[in-house]
Amino acid sequence: MPDTPWISDDWFTSPWNFADEVTKDWKFPEQVRIHDVTLRDGEQQAGLAFDYDDKIRIAEGLAEAGVHRIEAGMPVVSPDDARVVQDLAKRDFGPKIYSFARCMVDDVKRAVDAGVGGVIMEVPSSQHLIEKGYRWELERAIDLSIESTKFAHDQGLEVVFFPIDFTRSDLNWVMDLIEKVGNEGHMDGLALVDTMGVTSVHAMPYFVREVKKRFPDVPLEAHFHMDYGLGVANTIMAVAEGVEVIQSTVLGLGERAGNVPMEETVMALKTLYNVDCGIKTEKFKELADMVTEVSGAIVPRNRPIVGDDLFKIESGIIATWLLNCGVGEDLTTVVPFRPSMVGQADPIAVIGKGCGIDNVKHYLDKFQFQYTEESAMALLMDIKNWGLKHKRLMTDDEFRAFAEENLKQD
């Protein structure tokens, strides 16, 4: 680890992140891999649908960003889904292609026919979901799981157990069940699934440690949801306990509040923990914009990492900092990381209700206006009134016209 991992040419975070008291219990794996589920779980966001071309385009974008694994879909859902999985499995473009399957032999056969290398297999994990959600007898769920996971292994597939609603089960009960299915069927990996996003940050280390005690030789994966906004934090806590694979989506797309967003998780690990997942973070903005375009998802303009307005500085005090520091070596005095790290443009001071005198002077100089301190201050007050009325930023053309009119009156 570098002597000062909290500060580099590209970011400036808190030195407290790397205090000995903080890092002494870290158990980060040597490599953290990203398993993208945008094409399957991400598409489950209400009102969202990807066609064949959309999914191929997203997969190509993920590959360009260096994503290690792509869950291409569930072939049993539709012929179009099956075609996507099959065509991506044929490609040699970087990521390993996985399919999702229920614990049914027919689902596994579809995955085999598609030619994938691995299958994420839903296994029973909570009595209430089996009895009330599926309305199955427990023994039926267990028997189907054993039969289908063994069949998948016999067909040469990597089998990752995906216990839906894992975190709302009695832990010993569900681990007994997983052990039985793993012993009589087959398990290569185990996903820690927080389907409802209901695990607290403080409970996550306990969860991981207890599972590792029971299955010390089984690689673990993290699949968490954002219902309480804790998915990124919980994922990092899990990885700090040795979980090797992060299941995430672009922009956090997914059921209800969505899945863990890849962009935020990867950047947090890299700049706050000095854990590099090997992802080309400079592709994030381009990838997010493309997924936004094909999905029609509404993305807040100040969304972390990829928001359109993230590096527009309106506040007068912060704009002064930016204008004093510039976009050179002192830029991370003003922002936590260089926008270029994630494919964003450099920060700019903008004009709106919240701007200060330095914003206005900067724009007056930019457009070569002559002014005095008094006229600049008067213009600032007029701009604040304009911003309050219009409730948006002023464009360059609007500023020029506004300044010409108001300075002329002086």
Side-chain angles (χ1 to χ4, degrees), residues 249-284:
T249 62
V250 177
L251 293 171
L253 297 180
E255 192 84 29
R256 299 183 318 281
N259 291 70
V260 166
M262 173 176 65
E263 306 86 12
E264 296 167 36
T265 310
V266 168
M267 279 295 291
L269 284 169
K270 186 168 186 173
T271 63
L272 305 182
Y273 293 85
N274 199 40
V275 174
D276 191 338
C277 298
I279 302 298
K280 298 173 185 175
T281 59
E282 66 274 12
K283 296 287 187 181
F284 280 167

PDB file of all heavy atoms in Angstrom, residues 249-284:
ATOM      1  N   THR A 249     -25.294  -3.497 -10.790  1.00  0.00           N
ATOM      2  CA  THR A 249     -25.842  -3.063 -12.071  1.00  0.00           C
ATOM      3  C   THR A 249     -25.336  -1.666 -12.392  1.00  0.00           C
ATOM      4  O   THR A 249     -24.918  -0.907 -11.515  1.00  0.00           O
ATOM      5  CB  THR A 249     -27.388  -3.013 -12.061  1.00  0.00           C
ATOM      6  OG1 THR A 249     -27.823  -2.057 -11.071  1.00  0.00           O
ATOM      7  CG2 THR A 249     -27.997  -4.364 -11.751  1.00  0.00           C
ATOM      8  N   VAL A 250     -25.379  -1.325 -13.663  1.00  0.00           N
ATOM      9  CA  VAL A 250     -25.100   0.045 -14.079  1.00  0.00           C
ATOM     10  C   VAL A 250     -26.222   0.933 -13.541  1.00  0.00           C
ATOM     11  O   VAL A 250     -27.410   0.587 -13.636  1.00  0.00           O
ATOM     12  CB  VAL A 250     -25.037   0.146 -15.617  1.00  0.00           C
ATOM     13  CG1 VAL A 250     -24.814   1.596 -16.061  1.00  0.00           C
ATOM     14  CG2 VAL A 250     -23.935  -0.760 -16.169  1.00  0.00           C
ATOM     15  N   LEU A 251     -25.838   2.048 -12.917  1.00  0.00           N
ATOM     16  CA  LEU A 251     -26.790   3.021 -12.370  1.00  0.00           C
ATOM     17  C   LEU A 251     -27.644   2.472 -11.227  1.00  0.00           C
ATOM     18  O   LEU A 251     -28.586   3.117 -10.791  1.00  0.00           O
ATOM     19  CB  LEU A 251     -27.726   3.556 -13.465  1.00  0.00           C
ATOM     20  CG  LEU A 251     -27.073   4.409 -14.560  1.00  0.00           C
ATOM     21  CD1 LEU A 251     -28.075   4.671 -15.682  1.00  0.00           C
ATOM     22  CD2 LEU A 251     -26.583   5.737 -13.977  1.00  0.00           C
ATOM     23  N   GLY A 252     -27.341   1.263 -10.758  1.00  0.00           N
ATOM     24  CA  GLY A 252     -28.154   0.687  -9.695  1.00  0.00           C
ATOM     25  C   GLY A 252     -29.546   0.295 -10.141  1.00  0.00           C
ATOM     26  O   GLY A 252     -30.461   0.193  -9.326  1.00  0.00           O
ATOM     27  N   LEU A 253     -29.715   0.041 -11.450  1.00  0.00           N
ATOM     28  CA  LEU A 253     -31.029  -0.385 -11.934  1.00  0.00           C
ATOM     29  C   LEU A 253     -31.445  -1.676 -11.240  1.00  0.00           C
ATOM     30  O   LEU A 253     -30.598  -2.499 -10.882  1.00  0.00           O
ATOM     31  CB  LEU A 253     -30.990  -0.610 -13.444  1.00  0.00           C
ATOM     32  CG  LEU A 253     -30.688   0.604 -14.334  1.00  0.00           C
ATOM     33  CD1 LEU A 253     -30.706   0.178 -15.799  1.00  0.00           C
ATOM     34  CD2 LEU A 253     -31.668   1.733 -14.095  1.00  0.00           C
ATOM     35  N   GLY A 254     -32.756  -1.874 -11.085  1.00  0.00           N
ATOM     36  CA  GLY A 254     -33.216  -3.122 -10.512  1.00  0.00           C
ATOM     37  C   GLY A 254     -34.551  -3.000  -9.803  1.00  0.00           C
ATOM     38  O   GLY A 254     -35.167  -1.936  -9.755  1.00  0.00           O
ATOM     39  N   GLU A 255     -34.978  -4.126  -9.274  1.00  0.00           N
ATOM     40  CA  GLU A 255     -36.266  -4.234  -8.573  1.00  0.00           C
ATOM     41  C   GLU A 255     -36.381  -3.210  -7.455  1.00  0.00           C
ATOM     42  O   GLU A 255     -35.424  -2.943  -6.732  1.00  0.00           O
ATOM     43  CB  GLU A 255     -36.382  -5.650  -7.997  1.00  0.00           C
ATOM     44  CG  GLU A 255     -37.744  -6.033  -7.503  1.00  0.00           C
ATOM     45  CD  GLU A 255     -38.650  -6.534  -8.605  1.00  0.00           C
ATOM     46  OE1 GLU A 255     -38.139  -7.095  -9.591  1.00  0.00           O
ATOM     47  OE2 GLU A 255     -39.874  -6.347  -8.470  1.00  0.00           O
ATOM     48  N   ARG A 256     -37.549  -2.594  -7.328  1.00  0.00           N
ATOM     49  CA  ARG A 256     -37.859  -1.610  -6.288  1.00  0.00           C
ATOM     50  C   ARG A 256     -36.816  -0.472  -6.298  1.00  0.00           C
ATOM     51  O   ARG A 256     -36.747   0.281  -7.236  1.00  0.00           O
ATOM     52  CB  ARG A 256     -37.955  -2.287  -4.925  1.00  0.00           C
ATOM     53  CG  ARG A 256     -39.047  -3.359  -4.837  1.00  0.00           C
ATOM     54  CD  ARG A 256     -39.146  -3.957  -3.451  1.00  0.00           C
ATOM     55  NE  ARG A 256     -37.870  -4.220  -2.841  1.00  0.00           N
ATOM     56  CZ  ARG A 256     -37.119  -5.292  -3.140  1.00  0.00           C
ATOM     57  NH1 ARG A 256     -37.551  -6.222  -3.979  1.00  0.00           N
ATOM     58  NH2 ARG A 256     -35.944  -5.454  -2.556  1.00  0.00           N
ATOM     59  N   ALA A 257     -36.018  -0.359  -5.236  1.00  0.00           N
ATOM     60  CA  ALA A 257     -35.014   0.711  -5.171  1.00  0.00           C
ATOM     61  C   ALA A 257     -33.744   0.374  -5.938  1.00  0.00           C
ATOM     62  O   ALA A 257     -32.822   1.186  -6.005  1.00  0.00           O
ATOM     63  CB  ALA A 257     -34.678   1.017  -3.711  1.00  0.00           C
ATOM     64  N   GLY A 258     -33.695  -0.819  -6.504  1.00  0.00           N
ATOM     65  CA  GLY A 258     -32.567  -1.178  -7.358  1.00  0.00           C
ATOM     66  C   GLY A 258     -31.488  -1.998  -6.695  1.00  0.00           C
ATOM     67  O   GLY A 258     -31.515  -2.263  -5.483  1.00  0.00           O
ATOM     68  N   ASN A 259     -30.548  -2.405  -7.518  1.00  0.00           N
ATOM     69  CA  ASN A 259     -29.373  -3.151  -7.073  1.00  0.00           C
ATOM     70  C   ASN A 259     -28.247  -2.192  -6.691  1.00  0.00           C
ATOM     71  O   ASN A 259     -28.355  -0.977  -6.861  1.00  0.00           O
ATOM     72  CB  ASN A 259     -28.884  -4.075  -8.189  1.00  0.00           C
ATOM     73  CG  ASN A 259     -29.832  -5.216  -8.455  1.00  0.00           C
ATOM     74  OD1 ASN A 259     -30.928  -5.025  -8.973  1.00  0.00           O
ATOM     75  ND2 ASN A 259     -29.434  -6.424  -8.118  1.00  0.00           N
ATOM     76  N   VAL A 260     -27.165  -2.750  -6.223  1.00  0.00           N
ATOM     77  CA  VAL A 260     -25.987  -1.943  -5.892  1.00  0.00           C
ATOM     78  C   VAL A 260     -25.400  -1.365  -7.187  1.00  0.00           C
ATOM     79  O   VAL A 260     -25.139  -2.106  -8.132  1.00  0.00           O
ATOM     80  CB  VAL A 260     -24.946  -2.807  -5.162  1.00  0.00           C
ATOM     81  CG1 VAL A 260     -23.598  -2.114  -5.101  1.00  0.00           C
ATOM     82  CG2 VAL A 260     -25.440  -3.135  -3.760  1.00  0.00           C
ATOM     83  N   PRO A 261     -25.193  -0.052  -7.258  1.00  0.00           N
ATOM     84  CA  PRO A 261     -24.619   0.553  -8.458  1.00  0.00           C
ATOM     85  C   PRO A 261     -23.118   0.281  -8.553  1.00  0.00           C
ATOM     86  O   PRO A 261     -22.370   0.532  -7.603  1.00  0.00           O
ATOM     87  CB  PRO A 261     -24.903   2.044  -8.286  1.00  0.00           C
ATOM     88  CG  PRO A 261     -25.080   2.239  -6.825  1.00  0.00           C
ATOM     89  CD  PRO A 261     -25.623   0.960  -6.270  1.00  0.00           C
ATOM     90  N   MET A 262     -22.712  -0.216  -9.712  1.00  0.00           N
ATOM     91  CA  MET A 262     -21.303  -0.535  -9.914  1.00  0.00           C
ATOM     92  C   MET A 262     -20.416   0.690  -9.756  1.00  0.00           C
ATOM     93  O   MET A 262     -19.343   0.627  -9.144  1.00  0.00           O
ATOM     94  CB  MET A 262     -21.091  -1.143 -11.305  1.00  0.00           C
ATOM     95  CG  MET A 262     -19.627  -1.350 -11.676  1.00  0.00           C
ATOM     96  SD  MET A 262     -19.376  -2.164 -13.267  1.00  0.00           S
ATOM     97  CE  MET A 262     -20.040  -0.929 -14.400  1.00  0.00           C
ATOM     98  N   GLU A 263     -20.835   1.820 -10.327  1.00  0.00           N
ATOM     99  CA  GLU A 263     -19.969   2.995 -10.380  1.00  0.00           C
ATOM    100  C   GLU A 263     -19.581   3.462  -8.980  1.00  0.00           C
ATOM    101  O   GLU A 263     -18.390   3.699  -8.698  1.00  0.00           O
ATOM    102  CB  GLU A 263     -20.687   4.148 -11.112  1.00  0.00           C
ATOM    103  CG  GLU A 263     -21.217   3.800 -12.481  1.00  0.00           C
ATOM    104  CD  GLU A 263     -22.606   3.164 -12.439  1.00  0.00           C
ATOM    105  OE1 GLU A 263     -23.258   3.203 -11.378  1.00  0.00           O
ATOM    106  OE2 GLU A 263     -23.037   2.620 -13.467  1.00  0.00           O
ATOM    107  N   GLU A 264     -20.556   3.578  -8.111  1.00  0.00           N
ATOM    108  CA  GLU A 264     -20.293   4.075  -6.761  1.00  0.00           C
ATOM    109  C   GLU A 264     -19.449   3.085  -5.960  1.00  0.00           C
ATOM    110  O   GLU A 264     -18.550   3.465  -5.210  1.00  0.00           O
ATOM    111  CB  GLU A 264     -21.614   4.349  -6.050  1.00  0.00           C
ATOM    112  CG  GLU A 264     -22.431   5.450  -6.700  1.00  0.00           C
ATOM    113  CD  GLU A 264     -23.860   5.511  -6.207  1.00  0.00           C
ATOM    114  OE1 GLU A 264     -24.081   5.262  -5.000  1.00  0.00           O
ATOM    115  OE2 GLU A 264     -24.762   5.799  -7.007  1.00  0.00           O
ATOM    116  N   THR A 265     -19.739   1.802  -6.136  1.00  0.00           N
ATOM    117  CA  THR A 265     -19.042   0.773  -5.357  1.00  0.00           C
ATOM    118  C   THR A 265     -17.580   0.673  -5.765  1.00  0.00           C
ATOM    119  O   THR A 265     -16.676   0.649  -4.915  1.00  0.00           O
ATOM    120  CB  THR A 265     -19.737  -0.584  -5.539  1.00  0.00           C
ATOM    121  OG1 THR A 265     -21.138  -0.442  -5.320  1.00  0.00           O
ATOM    122  CG2 THR A 265     -19.181  -1.617  -4.578  1.00  0.00           C
ATOM    123  N   VAL A 266     -17.335   0.627  -7.053  1.00  0.00           N
ATOM    124  CA  VAL A 266     -15.958   0.503  -7.556  1.00  0.00           C
ATOM    125  C   VAL A 266     -15.133   1.736  -7.185  1.00  0.00           C
ATOM    126  O   VAL A 266     -13.980   1.623  -6.751  1.00  0.00           O
ATOM    127  CB  VAL A 266     -15.966   0.275  -9.081  1.00  0.00           C
ATOM    128  CG1 VAL A 266     -14.561   0.433  -9.662  1.00  0.00           C
ATOM    129  CG2 VAL A 266     -16.508  -1.112  -9.411  1.00  0.00           C
ATOM    130  N   MET A 267     -15.729   2.934  -7.343  1.00  0.00           N
ATOM    131  CA  MET A 267     -14.987   4.148  -7.015  1.00  0.00           C
ATOM    132  C   MET A 267     -14.725   4.269  -5.520  1.00  0.00           C
ATOM    133  O   MET A 267     -13.638   4.713  -5.102  1.00  0.00           O
ATOM    134  CB  MET A 267     -15.746   5.369  -7.534  1.00  0.00           C
ATOM    135  CG  MET A 267     -15.539   5.631  -9.017  1.00  0.00           C
ATOM    136  SD  MET A 267     -13.826   6.058  -9.423  1.00  0.00           S
ATOM    137  CE  MET A 267     -13.681   7.676  -8.663  1.00  0.00           C
ATOM    138  N   ALA A 268     -15.684   3.889  -4.701  1.00  0.00           N
ATOM    139  CA  ALA A 268     -15.469   3.931  -3.256  1.00  0.00           C
ATOM    140  C   ALA A 268     -14.343   2.989  -2.848  1.00  0.00           C
ATOM    141  O   ALA A 268     -13.467   3.349  -2.051  1.00  0.00           O
ATOM    142  CB  ALA A 268     -16.753   3.583  -2.515  1.00  0.00           C
ATOM    143  N   LEU A 269     -14.354   1.786  -3.390  1.00  0.00           N
ATOM    144  CA  LEU A 269     -13.282   0.832  -3.068  1.00  0.00           C
ATOM    145  C   LEU A 269     -11.917   1.364  -3.496  1.00  0.00           C
ATOM    146  O   LEU A 269     -10.927   1.252  -2.766  1.00  0.00           O
ATOM    147  CB  LEU A 269     -13.557  -0.515  -3.742  1.00  0.00           C
ATOM    148  CG  LEU A 269     -14.629  -1.380  -3.081  1.00  0.00           C
ATOM    149  CD1 LEU A 269     -15.010  -2.552  -3.978  1.00  0.00           C
ATOM    150  CD2 LEU A 269     -14.153  -1.897  -1.723  1.00  0.00           C
ATOM    151  N   LYS A 270     -11.877   1.980  -4.657  1.00  0.00           N
ATOM    152  CA  LYS A 270     -10.591   2.435  -5.200  1.00  0.00           C
ATOM    153  C   LYS A 270     -10.024   3.615  -4.425  1.00  0.00           C
ATOM    154  O   LYS A 270      -8.827   3.653  -4.114  1.00  0.00           O
ATOM    155  CB  LYS A 270     -10.762   2.811  -6.683  1.00  0.00           C
ATOM    156  CG  LYS A 270      -9.454   3.164  -7.384  1.00  0.00           C
ATOM    157  CD  LYS A 270      -9.649   3.244  -8.884  1.00  0.00           C
ATOM    158  CE  LYS A 270      -8.319   3.438  -9.613  1.00  0.00           C
ATOM    159  NZ  LYS A 270      -8.466   3.351 -11.077  1.00  0.00           N
ATOM    160  N   THR A 271     -10.860   4.589  -4.110  1.00  0.00           N
ATOM    161  CA  THR A 271     -10.347   5.832  -3.537  1.00  0.00           C
ATOM    162  C   THR A 271     -10.438   5.903  -2.016  1.00  0.00           C
ATOM    163  O   THR A 271      -9.706   6.675  -1.393  1.00  0.00           O
ATOM    164  CB  THR A 271     -11.085   7.045  -4.135  1.00  0.00           C
ATOM    165  OG1 THR A 271     -12.472   6.984  -3.792  1.00  0.00           O
ATOM    166  CG2 THR A 271     -10.950   7.075  -5.648  1.00  0.00           C
ATOM    167  N   LEU A 272     -11.328   5.128  -1.410  1.00  0.00           N
ATOM    168  CA  LEU A 272     -11.476   5.147   0.044  1.00  0.00           C
ATOM    169  C   LEU A 272     -10.786   3.971   0.730  1.00  0.00           C
ATOM    170  O   LEU A 272     -10.527   4.026   1.939  1.00  0.00           O
ATOM    171  CB  LEU A 272     -12.956   5.145   0.440  1.00  0.00           C
ATOM    172  CG  LEU A 272     -13.840   6.251  -0.152  1.00  0.00           C
ATOM    173  CD1 LEU A 272     -15.261   6.117   0.376  1.00  0.00           C
ATOM    174  CD2 LEU A 272     -13.288   7.620   0.159  1.00  0.00           C
ATOM    175  N   TYR A 273     -10.522   2.896  -0.043  1.00  0.00           N
ATOM    176  CA  TYR A 273      -9.950   1.682   0.544  1.00  0.00           C
ATOM    177  C   TYR A 273      -8.691   1.197  -0.172  1.00  0.00           C
ATOM    178  O   TYR A 273      -8.097   0.198   0.234  1.00  0.00           O
ATOM    179  CB  TYR A 273     -10.992   0.548   0.529  1.00  0.00           C
ATOM    180  CG  TYR A 273     -12.168   0.801   1.440  1.00  0.00           C
ATOM    181  CD1 TYR A 273     -13.253   1.540   1.018  1.00  0.00           C
ATOM    182  CD2 TYR A 273     -12.172   0.314   2.745  1.00  0.00           C
ATOM    183  CE1 TYR A 273     -14.337   1.791   1.853  1.00  0.00           C
ATOM    184  CE2 TYR A 273     -13.242   0.554   3.591  1.00  0.00           C
ATOM    185  CZ  TYR A 273     -14.322   1.304   3.140  1.00  0.00           C
ATOM    186  OH  TYR A 273     -15.377   1.548   3.983  1.00  0.00           O
ATOM    187  N   ASN A 274      -8.310   1.872  -1.252  1.00  0.00           N
ATOM    188  CA  ASN A 274      -7.150   1.470  -2.042  1.00  0.00           C
ATOM    189  C   ASN A 274      -7.296   0.047  -2.592  1.00  0.00           C
ATOM    190  O   ASN A 274      -6.337  -0.703  -2.714  1.00  0.00           O
ATOM    191  CB  ASN A 274      -5.858   1.567  -1.207  1.00  0.00           C
ATOM    192  CG  ASN A 274      -4.618   1.605  -2.082  1.00  0.00           C
ATOM    193  OD1 ASN A 274      -4.607   2.242  -3.129  1.00  0.00           O
ATOM    194  ND2 ASN A 274      -3.572   0.911  -1.650  1.00  0.00           N
ATOM    195  N   VAL A 275      -8.543  -0.322  -2.948  1.00  0.00           N
ATOM    196  CA  VAL A 275      -8.828  -1.633  -3.532  1.00  0.00           C
ATOM    197  C   VAL A 275      -9.247  -1.409  -4.984  1.00  0.00           C
ATOM    198  O   VAL A 275     -10.311  -0.850  -5.253  1.00  0.00           O
ATOM    199  CB  VAL A 275      -9.941  -2.367  -2.760  1.00  0.00           C
ATOM    200  CG1 VAL A 275     -10.335  -3.660  -3.473  1.00  0.00           C
ATOM    201  CG2 VAL A 275      -9.485  -2.653  -1.336  1.00  0.00           C
ATOM    202  N   ASP A 276      -8.400  -1.808  -5.897  1.00  0.00           N
ATOM    203  CA  ASP A 276      -8.644  -1.606  -7.324  1.00  0.00           C
ATOM    204  C   ASP A 276      -9.263  -2.875  -7.905  1.00  0.00           C
ATOM    205  O   ASP A 276      -8.640  -3.930  -7.906  1.00  0.00           O
ATOM    206  CB  ASP A 276      -7.330  -1.278  -8.035  1.00  0.00           C
ATOM    207  CG  ASP A 276      -7.525  -0.783  -9.461  1.00  0.00           C
ATOM    208  OD1 ASP A 276      -8.599  -1.065 -10.051  1.00  0.00           O
ATOM    209  OD2 ASP A 276      -6.612  -0.137  -9.992  1.00  0.00           O
ATOM    210  N   CYS A 277     -10.502  -2.757  -8.400  1.00  0.00           N
ATOM    211  CA  CYS A 277     -11.199  -3.913  -8.967  1.00  0.00           C
ATOM    212  C   CYS A 277     -10.760  -4.204 -10.406  1.00  0.00           C
ATOM    213  O   CYS A 277     -11.232  -5.179 -11.012  1.00  0.00           O
ATOM    214  CB  CYS A 277     -12.712  -3.682  -8.947  1.00  0.00           C
ATOM    215  SG  CYS A 277     -13.402  -3.493  -7.290  1.00  0.00           S
ATOM    216  N   GLY A 278      -9.903  -3.367 -10.975  1.00  0.00           N
ATOM    217  CA  GLY A 278      -9.458  -3.582 -12.343  1.00  0.00           C
ATOM    218  C   GLY A 278     -10.446  -3.102 -13.388  1.00  0.00           C
ATOM    219  O   GLY A 278     -10.346  -3.459 -14.556  1.00  0.00           O
ATOM    220  N   ILE A 279     -11.408  -2.272 -12.981  1.00  0.00           N
ATOM    221  CA  ILE A 279     -12.405  -1.740 -13.907  1.00  0.00           C
ATOM    222  C   ILE A 279     -11.914  -0.398 -14.460  1.00  0.00           C
ATOM    223  O   ILE A 279     -11.313   0.401 -13.744  1.00  0.00           O
ATOM    224  CB  ILE A 279     -13.757  -1.546 -13.185  1.00  0.00           C
ATOM    225  CG1 ILE A 279     -14.247  -2.876 -12.597  1.00  0.00           C
ATOM    226  CG2 ILE A 279     -14.792  -0.956 -14.129  1.00  0.00           C
ATOM    227  CD1 ILE A 279     -14.514  -3.957 -13.627  1.00  0.00           C
ATOM    228  N   LYS A 280     -12.181  -0.150 -15.726  1.00  0.00           N
ATOM    229  CA  LYS A 280     -11.787   1.110 -16.363  1.00  0.00           C
ATOM    230  C   LYS A 280     -12.811   2.176 -15.983  1.00  0.00           C
ATOM    231  O   LYS A 280     -13.804   2.394 -16.676  1.00  0.00           O
ATOM    232  CB  LYS A 280     -11.711   0.932 -17.878  1.00  0.00           C
ATOM    233  CG  LYS A 280     -10.659  -0.086 -18.317  1.00  0.00           C
ATOM    234  CD  LYS A 280     -10.748  -0.353 -19.813  1.00  0.00           C
ATOM    235  CE  LYS A 280      -9.779  -1.455 -20.226  1.00  0.00           C
ATOM    236  NZ  LYS A 280      -9.945  -1.810 -21.649  1.00  0.00           N
ATOM    237  N   THR A 281     -12.548   2.833 -14.875  1.00  0.00           N
ATOM    238  CA  THR A 281     -13.517   3.784 -14.337  1.00  0.00           C
ATOM    239  C   THR A 281     -13.768   4.958 -15.290  1.00  0.00           C
ATOM    240  O   THR A 281     -14.831   5.580 -15.237  1.00  0.00           O
ATOM    241  CB  THR A 281     -13.057   4.328 -12.974  1.00  0.00           C
ATOM    242  OG1 THR A 281     -11.789   4.982 -13.128  1.00  0.00           O
ATOM    243  CG2 THR A 281     -12.925   3.194 -11.970  1.00  0.00           C
ATOM    244  N   GLU A 282     -12.801   5.251 -16.154  1.00  0.00           N
ATOM    245  CA  GLU A 282     -12.990   6.353 -17.104  1.00  0.00           C
ATOM    246  C   GLU A 282     -14.104   6.066 -18.105  1.00  0.00           C
ATOM    247  O   GLU A 282     -14.572   6.974 -18.812  1.00  0.00           O
ATOM    248  CB  GLU A 282     -11.694   6.653 -17.849  1.00  0.00           C
ATOM    249  CG  GLU A 282     -11.194   5.566 -18.780  1.00  0.00           C
ATOM    250  CD  GLU A 282     -10.331   4.499 -18.113  1.00  0.00           C
ATOM    251  OE1 GLU A 282     -10.301   4.468 -16.847  1.00  0.00           O
ATOM    252  OE2 GLU A 282      -9.696   3.726 -18.833  1.00  0.00           O
ATOM    253  N   LYS A 283     -14.582   4.840 -18.151  1.00  0.00           N
ATOM    254  CA  LYS A 283     -15.703   4.470 -19.030  1.00  0.00           C
ATOM    255  C   LYS A 283     -17.068   4.670 -18.370  1.00  0.00           C
ATOM    256  O   LYS A 283     -18.104   4.499 -19.021  1.00  0.00           O
ATOM    257  CB  LYS A 283     -15.568   2.998 -19.439  1.00  0.00           C
ATOM    258  CG  LYS A 283     -14.334   2.667 -20.279  1.00  0.00           C
ATOM    259  CD  LYS A 283     -14.483   3.193 -21.693  1.00  0.00           C
ATOM    260  CE  LYS A 283     -13.348   2.729 -22.587  1.00  0.00           C
ATOM    261  NZ  LYS A 283     -13.504   3.264 -23.957  1.00  0.00           N
ATOM    262  N   PHE A 284     -17.092   5.012 -17.074  1.00  0.00           N
ATOM    263  CA  PHE A 284     -18.352   5.024 -16.331  1.00  0.00           C
ATOM    264  C   PHE A 284     -19.382   5.996 -16.897  1.00  0.00           C
ATOM    265  O   PHE A 284     -20.552   5.656 -17.034  1.00  0.00           O
ATOM    266  CB  PHE A 284     -18.090   5.334 -14.856  1.00  0.00           C
ATOM    267  CG  PHE A 284     -17.616   4.154 -14.051  1.00  0.00           C
ATOM    268  CD1 PHE A 284     -17.084   4.333 -12.780  1.00  0.00           C
ATOM    269  CD2 PHE A 284     -17.713   2.858 -14.548  1.00  0.00           C
ATOM    270  CE1 PHE A 284     -16.653   3.251 -12.022  1.00  0.00           C
ATOM    271  CE2 PHE A 284     -17.283   1.766 -13.804  1.00  0.00           C
ATOM    272  CZ  PHE A 284     -16.749   1.967 -12.543  1.00  0.00           C
TER     273      PHE A 284
END
